[in-house]
Amino acid sequence: MAELVRYNAPGIVVIVILLLFSITRADLPGTWELIVQDAGIASMHTAVTRFNTVVLLDRTNIGPSRKALGKHRCRKDPNDAVLKRDCFAHSVLFDLGTNQIRPLMILTDTWCSSGQFLSDGSLLQTGGDRDGFKKIRKFEPCDPNETCDWVELQDTELITGRWYASNQILPDGSVIIVGGRGTNTVEYYPPRENGAVPFQFLADVEDKQMDNLYPYVHLLPDDGGNLFIFANSRAVKYDHRTNAVVKEYPPLIGGPRNYPSGGSSAMLAIQGDFATAEILICGGAQSGAFTARAVDAPAHGTCGRIVATAPDPAWVTEEMPFGRIMGDMVNLPTGEILIINGAQAGTQGFEMGSDPCLYPLLYRPDQPIGLRFMTLNPGTVPRMYHSTANLLPDGRILLAGSNPHYFYKFNAEFPTELRIEAFSPEYLSQDRANLRPELREIPQIVRYGEVFDVFVTVPLPVVETIQINWGSAPFATHSFSQGQRLVKLTVGPSIPDGEGRYRIQCTAPLNGAVSPPGYYMAFAVNQGVPSVARWIRIVI
């Protein structure tokens, strides 16, 4: 096998070809497993709940799925061009403990909608197409033995219809909803008195193929929690309290990065004094590939990284081993980032991608430029347009969806994908099992600035500080996980506490700009190996 590795130096890109004839797929880090053969739907949107269940969501006007709603449960829509009486599920709940699938019922179209968990753990879901354009929905998670389901709010709706928008929870627990197709405004949930507010930046970066959709929105840990908002190739810092742009960032070279050009973005782990936030944006399609329907146009392999909180921020660029569009970025418990799914050519859109990118990448932010990317064990299932990736509490990554067709189509080069898989990073390998900590005790609820104790056990003696890192549960869709963040808590030394346990003193973040109120997966991380997470809630 030949592996292409690029080493970057200032002004120089040295390409080294390593001929690794003896290396097989099994020699690359990471393992794959098939969890569910047929989920019944292709998940366009995916979110993990605090009950260790997973919400999978497609769209309603897609015709029959492979999962029936159940007896006497049908959606009636005289305006649906495919099914006036629809008795099929377009959302399901996946139980991680039993691998069972339960159908859920949505009433209006959630095609290319947006979402975010609220501080009480309920999933807010906004917009979509057609009859879902202005709808607000909620899913209040429950124990897997109970029968919670989607609820469409009757007392409120979006002020402006939104299709391809992005959501982000704010320090006070409210949610900002940014943009959408032909919608260059922001609004909030719960609604604010000033309604939908014009956002000229989105209009300024709009081009012929509308590369300002699904903008990348990251909550910064600065005073007041300003927002880093990126669309097309530009970014601004936005003050949601005054609805004003307070900083313009330099453009990122390499062409458009947002939908339909299909790059991806994540914020690196927040740590230390929590004053610094770095944003990573990788991949994307050739400029104009969407309007030209250039299915075979090679994807970009460039990444940009910027310290968004710096006084004079500048992009630092680097190269991935592969060009990639429609990739998903997942914040791992260790602070590294997994880049997975996607294609090496084409663009987002139905029938618009080719050459699946089966190799995941591990991005190691603390390594020097040129050594940050590690190529991992490839999968075998192409996951391209409308696929998702989500971190699970046990440290695996859940892969779902991929439907590059307008309807479900199984007899195709890249068929509609109903299988659910899991990818296990190298930190879950058997040779590291003796390093894997177990969380024995951790509070269920903490307040901002609270000092609390966590108790862990580890098979081998502890030789360095055990980290306590908590990660949000984002709403993953269209190559961007809305609301995703990882926070490395301030911790003390691991002190032996008898019976093989260690006590670790932790301090919760001081404010909601670092960790918005809500539920997080808390991991103990020992020498790069995470525990199974316990859910913890931070409240105001």
Side-chain angles (χ1 to χ4, degrees):
M1 176 183 118
E3 181 178 0
L4 178 63
V5 182
R6 293 180 172 89
Y7 296 92
N8 292 348
I12 300 174
V13 177
V14 181
I15 301 178
V16 180
I17 303 293
L18 301 178
L19 297 177
L20 305 176
F21 293 105
S22 62
I23 290 184
T24 65
R25 288 186 172 195
D27 292 312
L28 293 173
T31 58
W32 293 82
E33 61 182 309
L34 177 64
I35 300 177
V36 174
Q37 179 65 36
D38 186 349
I41 72 166
S43 189
M44 183 186 302
H45 320 287
T46 308
V48 179
T49 82
R50 70 185 190 277
F51 290 93
N52 294 334
T53 57
V54 184
V55 178
L56 293 91
L57 180 62
D58 197 5
R59 60 184 176 98
T60 57
N61 64 340
I62 202 166
S65 71
R66 290 291 183 89
K67 189 73 172 177
L69 278 170
K71 192 175 182 179
H72 307 306
R73 298 188 73 204
C74 297
R75 180 183 65 92
K76 297 179 181 179
D77 183 0
N79 298 315
D80 194 312
V82 185
L83 288 175
K84 311 295 183 189
R85 186 172 183 267
D86 186 356
C87 303
F88 295 91
H90 303 288
S91 179
V92 299
L93 190 68
F94 172 49
D95 182 354
L96 291 168
T98 64
N99 288 352
Q100 296 299 303
I101 299 285
R102 179 168 67 85
L104 302 175
M105 189 171 186
I106 51 174
L107 298 176
T108 55
D109 193 14
T110 51
W111 185 9
C112 298
S113 51
S114 53
Q116 191 80 169
F117 278 106
L118 300 176
S119 61
D120 65 359
S122 60
L123 179 59
L124 180 76
Q125 220 278 322
T126 51
D129 193 22
R130 307 187 189 221
D131 61 351
F133 197 38
K134 299 183 73 174
K135 291 294 182 179
I136 300 176
R137 311 163 194 87
K138 275 190 180 181
F139 181 81
E140 295 188 6
C142 59
D143 186 273
N145 295 321
E146 298 176 357
T147 56
C148 46
D149 211 331
W150 286 103
V151 173
E152 301 222 355
L153 303 191
Q154 302 300 317
D155 57 347
T156 186
E157 65 178 11
L158 293 172
I159 298 163
T160 304
R162 296 187 186 274
W163 195 23
Y164 301 91
S166 295
N167 295 8
Q168 171 63 55
I169 189 170
L170 299 174
D172 64 356
S174 64
V175 172
I176 187 172
I177 307 164
V178 181
R181 186 168 182 173
T183 310
N184 298 321
T185 62
V186 304
E187 62 180 280
Y188 298 86
Y189 180 86
R192 292 186 181 178
E193 291 183 0
N194 53 356
V197 179
F199 189 19
Q200 184 60 38
F201 166 72
L202 291 178
D204 292 343
V205 297
E206 184 177 319
D207 56 23
K208 291 182 179 180
Q209 59 179 26
M210 304 189 78
D211 280 303
N212 63 349
L213 303 180
Y214 278 128
Y216 303 145
V217 182
H218 299 285
L219 176 67
L220 299 177
D222 57 9
D223 292 338
N226 291 305
L227 298 165
F228 177 94
I229 301 179
F230 184 99
N232 198 324
S233 61
R234 293 168 53 192
V236 295
K237 182 185 288 188
Y238 186 79
D239 186 338
H240 58 86
R241 297 163 300 179
T242 61
N243 290 305
V245 172
V246 295
K247 180 189 283 287
E248 293 187 8
Y249 294 92
L252 174 59
I253 62 172
R257 306 282 183 161
N258 296 78
Y259 188 95
S261 291
S264 190
S265 177
M267 183 164 63
L268 303 186
I270 306 171
Q271 56 189 311
D273 61 2
F274 305 134
T276 301
E278 291 191 74
I279 310 298
L280 181 69
I281 297 174
C282 290
Q286 299 286 335
S287 182
F290 179 78
T291 53
R293 298 194 63 84
V295 177
D296 297 322
H300 288 297
T302 59
C303 293
R305 178 170 161 177
I306 193 169
V307 181
T309 48
D312 189 20
W315 291 99
V316 176
T317 58
E318 46 195 316
E319 287 275 345
M320 294 186 289
F322 310 97
R324 191 186 301 254
I325 56 167
M326 298 181 280
D328 287 282
M329 288 187 178
V330 179
N331 283 106
L332 298 180
T334 57
E336 298 162 318
I337 291 178
L338 181 74
I339 306 174
I340 198 166
N341 296 339
Q344 297 183 76
T347 182
Q348 285 176 312
F350 294 122
E351 319 289 346
M352 295 281 278
S354 65
D355 194 6
C357 196
L358 299 174
Y359 286 86
L361 295 175
L362 184 67
Y363 182 79
R364 301 168 294 181
D366 296 335
Q367 294 294 316
I369 289 180
L371 298 176
R372 289 175 178 165
F373 290 102
M374 176 187 288
T375 302
L376 306 180
N377 186 26
T380 58
V381 178
R383 295 194 185 271
M384 300 162 65
Y385 190 45
H386 289 158
S387 60
T388 59
N390 294 74
L391 177 67
L392 297 178
D394 63 9
R396 295 178 301 166
I397 291 78
L398 186 85
L399 291 313
S402 187
N403 186 19
H405 316 290
Y406 191 85
F407 297 114
Y408 282 16
K409 187 176 182 180
F410 301 101
N411 185 20
E413 182 182 8
F414 306 119
T416 301
E417 188 53 66
L418 305 184
R419 287 172 289 183
I420 299 177
E421 295 178 289
F423 178 77
S424 295
E426 189 177 23
Y427 55 54
L428 294 179
S429 62
Q430 188 58 39
D431 62 357
R432 301 190 184 191
N434 285 337
L435 297 174
R436 192 170 201 194
E438 181 177 351
L439 278 169
R440 293 291 188 170
E441 290 184 32
I442 187 170
Q444 292 184 337
I445 300 175
V446 297
R447 296 187 178 277
Y448 288 106
E450 181 179 343
V451 178
F452 60 95
D453 287 337
V454 170
F455 294 88
V456 305
T457 57
V458 185
L460 291 179
V462 171
V463 297
E464 61 181 51
T465 299
I466 294 178
Q467 300 175 353
I468 304 297
N469 304 336
W470 69 31
S472 64
F475 181 84
T477 187
H478 290 77
S479 304
F480 180 58
S481 288
Q482 300 178 15
Q484 180 175 224
R485 71 202 295 110
L486 182 78
V487 179
K488 295 188 173 185
L489 301 187
T490 301
V491 298
S494 304
I495 300 174
D497 192 61
E499 299 181 358
R501 301 198 318 174
Y502 295 87
R503 179 173 62 86
I504 304 168
Q505 188 178 84
C506 308
T507 304
L510 294 177
N511 58 63
V514 177
S515 283
Y519 289 86
Y520 292 80
M521 290 178 279
F523 296 88
V525 180
N526 177 41
Q527 299 184 58
V529 179
S531 68
V532 174
R534 300 272 289 270
W535 290 93
I536 187 170
R537 186 182 185 185
I538 188 166
V539 297
I540 297 174

